[in-house]
Amino acid sequence: EPATFGGGGGRGTCNSRGGRGAGRIVLQGATVRINGVVRADGEAAAAGGCGNAGGGGAGGSIWIEAGSFTGNGAITAQGGGGQNGGAGGRIYVHHTGSNTFSGAIAAFAGSGGSPAAGTAYVVDATNALIAQGGNIFLEAAAAHPSITLRAGGTTTIRGASTITQPITVPAGTTLILDASDALTNLTI
C-alpha cells in the first residue's frame, strides 16, 4: 500500500525553482468509479532563466481499495519535467469484486535526464496481478495466480518463482527474470 509523498526537485542555476513533489491519495469504497482524473503528479521545474532549469518533482502515491472498480477516466502519479525529470510515483489498486475499469493508469517519469519510472499495479481478491507499466518488481514470496503485463515499462521477477499461467510480453515492455526462475507458457 503506497503512502509516500513525492520529493521536490532540486534548484537549477540562478536559483531557478525545482518542481514540487506530489501528495498522496487514498480512495476506499464498495464501488470506486473513476470517470474523471485522479492525479498525484509531480510539478514541472521552473525555467532556468540564466542556465539549467531545476529538477522535476516526483510523483506521489495513489492507493485505491474497492469492492468493484469501474470507470473510464485516468489515474496518474507521474514525475514532472525539468533539467532532470522527477521519478514516477506509485499506484496500487486492490479490488475484491469486479474490475471493469477501461481508463488509463500511468506512473511514468518526467522528461529530462533519465529518472526512474514509478509502479502501477491492479490486484484482485485472488492476488492476480495486472502490471500497468513503470518499474514492477515481483518477489518469490508474492504468489500470483496470474500476471498480466500492459505495454510499456519493465517487470522484474526475482527469486525462485515458478510461473505456470501464460504471460504475454507486449511490444515496448521488458521482462527481466532471475536465473532461478522456471517458466512455462511465456509468449513473446
Side-chain angles (χ1 to χ4, degrees):
E1 298 80 24
T4 57
F5 295 93
R11 291 193 174 277
T13 54
C14 299
N15 262 342
S16 59
R17 182 183 56 74
R20 292 180 184 98
R24 69 179 176 175
I25 298 169
V26 178
L27 299 174
Q28 297 175 325
T31 298
V32 174
R33 179 185 317 272
I34 309 291
N35 284 330
V37 178
V38 175
R39 181 175 292 150
D41 293 345
E43 181 183 46
C50 67
N52 294 330
S61 60
I62 300 173
W63 175 13
I64 298 174
E65 285 286 339
S68 297
F69 180 50
T70 186
N72 59 11
I75 303 168
T76 65
Q78 304 191 123
Q83 181 69 26
N84 289 300
R90 185 160 181 230
I91 299 169
Y92 177 79
V93 178
H94 178 253
H95 63 91
T96 56
S98 64
N99 175 8
T100 58
F101 183 77
S102 61
I105 298 176
F108 295 112
S111 60
S114 54
T119 61
Y121 298 93
V122 178
V123 179
D124 72 10
T126 69
N127 214 25
L129 173 84
I130 300 173
Q132 294 289 146
N135 290 324
I136 309 294
F137 295 93
L138 303 175
E139 302 293 339
H144 299 284
S146 67
I147 299 172
T148 303
L149 305 180
R150 299 284 190 237
T154 300
T155 298
T156 303
I157 300 175
R158 298 187 274 204
S161 302
T162 300
I163 299 172
T164 57
Q165 296 297 316
I167 297 178
T168 300
V169 182
T173 300
T174 302
L175 177 64
I176 299 172
L177 304 171
D178 182 285
S180 61
D181 291 324
L183 287 181
T184 62
N185 301 323
L186 178 65
T187 304
I188 296 177

